[in-house]
Amino acid sequence: MAKKGNEKKGAKVFKTKCSQCHTVEAGGAHKQGPNLNGFFGRQSGQADGYSYSSANKKSGIQWGDDTLFDYLENPKKYIKGTKMVFAGIKKPQERKDLIAYLKNASAVA
């Protein structure tokens, strides 16, 4: 069986690879990328007040474990035309850890 994500390790991944462009807390600011609070289970391109690419808004992707796992490997390949300049996370376990962190950290209270 596949190893589950480690939330603590995921927090480190977020801090080093994501936090320069994203926030997760409720009411957090949009940076180069949107605030991620409440994005889990939501359709892509839906955070209020953020200017998404039309590719992201029209993708129809609903964010969950599987879609995030694939997206985080190579965002530009997963959503052709996305504004996200991040190259991706190649290591599967690192992606699982990040998803475990994001699931909890971005949850709406």
Side-chain angles (χ1 to χ4, degrees):
M1 181 156 184
K3 192 176 168 194
K4 290 200 178 281
N6 179 309
E7 193 176 328
K8 196 171 182 180
K9 288 181 181 175
K12 288 179 183 166
V13 174
F14 183 84
K15 187 175 182 185
T16 58
K17 298 188 179 199
C18 312
S19 65
Q20 49 277 48
C21 295
H22 293 282
T23 57
V24 291
E25 65 278 354
H30 294 307
K31 294 183 175 182
Q32 185 172 345
N35 169 275
L36 299 175
N37 190 259
F39 87 104
F40 222 87
R42 185 170 68 201
Q43 191 170 317
S44 66
Q46 303 295 312
D48 286 339
Y50 184 76
S51 176
Y52 288 94
S53 65
S54 62
N56 197 307
K57 287 191 275 193
K58 294 176 182 173
S59 70
I61 294 164
Q62 184 158 352
W63 295 123
D65 292 85
D66 294 343
T67 50
L68 272 173
F69 186 79
D70 293 342
Y71 176 75
L72 290 169
E73 182 178 18
N74 188 340
K76 287 194 173 302
K77 185 177 176 189
Y78 196 76
I79 299 180
K80 292 187 184 348
T82 184
K83 296 196 303 193
M84 188 158 154
V85 294
F86 183 61
I89 299 171
K90 302 304 172 222
K91 295 178 182 171
Q93 190 57 49
E94 228 174 77
R95 292 195 309 263
K96 288 179 186 178
D97 294 343
L98 177 58
I99 292 165
Y101 168 76
L102 286 173
K103 227 179 195 178
N104 190 30
S106 69
V108 178

